[in-house]
Amino acid sequence: MSRIWRFGDDVNTDQIVPGRYAPYMTSEAELRKYPFIEARPEFAPGVQPGDIIVAGRNFGCGSSREYAPQALKLVGVGAIIAPSFARIFYRNALNLGIPLFEADLDWLSDGAEAQIDSGSGVLHTSRGAIQLPQPPTWMQEIWQAGGIVPYFREHGRFPGEAAR
Amino acid sequence: MAQTLAEQILSHAAGRTVQAGEVVTARVDLAMVHDSIAPSVIRILHEQLGAERVWNPDRIAVAIDHVAPAANLQTAESQNNLRSWARSQNIRNLFDVGRGIAHQVLIEERLARPGLLIVGSDSHSTAYGAVGAFGTGMGATDIALALATGQTWLRVPETIRVQAHGRLRSGVTAKDVALKIARELRADGATYQAIEYHGFDSFSLGERTTLTTMAIEVGGKAGIVPPNGPALANEYAPSWLTIEPDARYSRTLEINLDDLDPQIAAPNHVDNVTDLRNLGRINVDVVYLGTCTNGRHEDMAAAARILRGRRINPQVRMMVVPASSEALQLAIADGTISTLLAAGATLGTPGCGACIGRHMGVLGPTDVCLFTGNRNFRGRMGHPDAQIYLGSPEVAAATAVAGYIASPNEIERT
């Protein structure tokens, strides 16, 4: 089973990876050490591939730094679930192929065990399975392709026309 | 059907009539990349997308503003790589160390124009709405795709209408309006939406930029001031870009400028805003004047008007970082810089300064800072225990004199 990492409202990108820890200032190879380095220092050493972030509203607000979701991807975050996301973060995470779900799961406690099937959007918890609201099909196709770059290479176009 | 400004610009960029909620592929008029993200953008462009050349070098701007001048060996080498790359791609719009913050420079250079779709590798790319453009921030992958193809995809946003009434009183500024908007809409109030600012025809280009840089602080995808009024009198706006009275807005926020007081955003959220007079006494160690939100000539001049003939409090360090070389030159020519230095302030190289907490006056753990910038997140300007309060340039100057967060009227009475 994977574990749930709980976060509050308005988690900003300076909390996810502070500007001082950007690859530009340090090095690309070190990025996996930095997610939540100051906001929650036990996160990076403790997180396991497939773990799930469950947060409050407006997750990822602030900067456009793609290295924030990139750092979460590097440590293997399997999905992020929050009632709402800041748009640049949402877009960056989608582009990198990280599954995001818009749902308010404030009853799930930090450290709880859970398992997600991101394809079907089903979250298995100790209280049973939950069907998470699914984003539109064209967004799911971007995850399934592994992000916007493989999607673009595969289709030769942006998702806009497919979404009409 | 009547359209908002965002719908008009994205219709033009998509080559078909579109409305809020649609997902479109749009032509990009201008793409901006800055030093902080450029290494990732270049790597994705060449290694992942296999693109050898950018789509059109004249529609790309490169700025070295985030760590300018270089603060360590890593950034120095990275900037040299960026310079070589820009030359190899024939990108003439390279704005090197000292020219200033991309957003301010692109407006000064008139690369940002009414009706354009501008994407930038920086969340404050909403700035370009000051001239009536649709400016929006994106991450490295989106910018690399735009550089390779000249296109991007966007969901056409709904629009919130901010409607101002009346005029600001003395000592109250565009920054106070921007903070008031954050106070009312909250940090996620405009997520996935654009903002149109009405009733600001008398605002200068700088004041408009203060508003639009902060559209992102309420989650906005773009913040657009209609390109009307004396500040835009010499700017050509395309004939298809007009205010349509029947355009549909998701909500209207009315703001009465006449009774607005100086506003302060207290740590650690931009929407944690209160009237300055209700703040209580907050002693400060650092006053930081600068950024794309409030680092222009008029901001420095406003601070100088208060500091003329006064000395800053000996407990306070005051840092001034102009938004651009043009702003700095104007401030030298009219004596503003002399006044600021005579009062005890220190001057930095035009650029982003310590806004991202990387160099040029980062904060230590016990520092309390009055900042004219746009974010007061924990750790934003340095140590996570530093306390950042956001306010206007006038409040910054008054605070530098008082040693605690003070309104300009309070200082000018003394």
Side-chain angles (χ1 to χ4, degrees), chain B residues 51-70:
Chain B
E52 299 208 345
R53 310 295 301 174
V54 295
W55 111 93
N56 182 345
D58 293 337
R59 290 185 176 273
I60 294 164
V62 174
I64 300 180
D65 59 0
H66 271 55
V67 182

Side-chain angles (χ1 to χ4, degrees), chain B residues 101-108 112 123-133 173-175 177-178 181 197 200 203-217 223-226 231-232 290-299 323 372-374:
Chain B
I101 307 168
H103 310 312
Q104 179 61 22
V105 173
L106 265 54
I107 290 172
E108 287 174 1
S123 61
H124 293 110
S125 300
T126 53
Y128 309 120
V131 295
T173 71
K175 179 58 160 291
V177 179
I181 292 170
Y197 302 89
F200 296 100
F203 269 38
S204 69
L205 195 47
E207 291 175 304
R208 294 171 192 225
T209 314
T210 301
L211 293 181
T212 55
T213 51
M214 291 198 69
I216 181 63
E217 305 311 331
I224 308 175
V225 186
L232 274 291
T291 79
C292 54
T293 294
N294 274 129
R296 279 168 284 279
H297 170 247
E298 64 200 69
D299 301 315
T372 65
N374 40 52

Side-chain angles (χ1 to χ4, degrees), chain B residues 38-94:
Chain B
S40 304
V41 171
I42 294 169
R43 186 170 32 83
I44 296 165
L45 183 69
H46 297 309
E47 293 175 18
Q48 293 186 25
L49 291 168
E52 299 208 345
R53 310 295 301 174
V54 295
W55 111 93
N56 182 345
D58 293 337
R59 290 185 176 273
I60 294 164
V62 174
I64 300 180
D65 59 0
H66 271 55
V67 182
N72 57 18
L73 299 179
Q74 161 111 357
T75 49
E77 184 180 357
S78 179
Q79 291 176 13
N80 283 342
N81 291 340
L82 176 56
R83 290 180 186 105
S84 314
W85 177 81
R87 267 184 228 114
S88 74
Q89 295 287 331
N90 296 321
I91 295 170
R92 288 174 294 182
N93 295 314
L94 169 66

Side-chain angles (χ1 to χ4, degrees), chain B residues 128-146:
Chain B
Y128 309 120
V131 295
F134 186 103
T136 195
M138 293 182 171
T141 300
D142 275 321
I143 295 297
L145 278 160

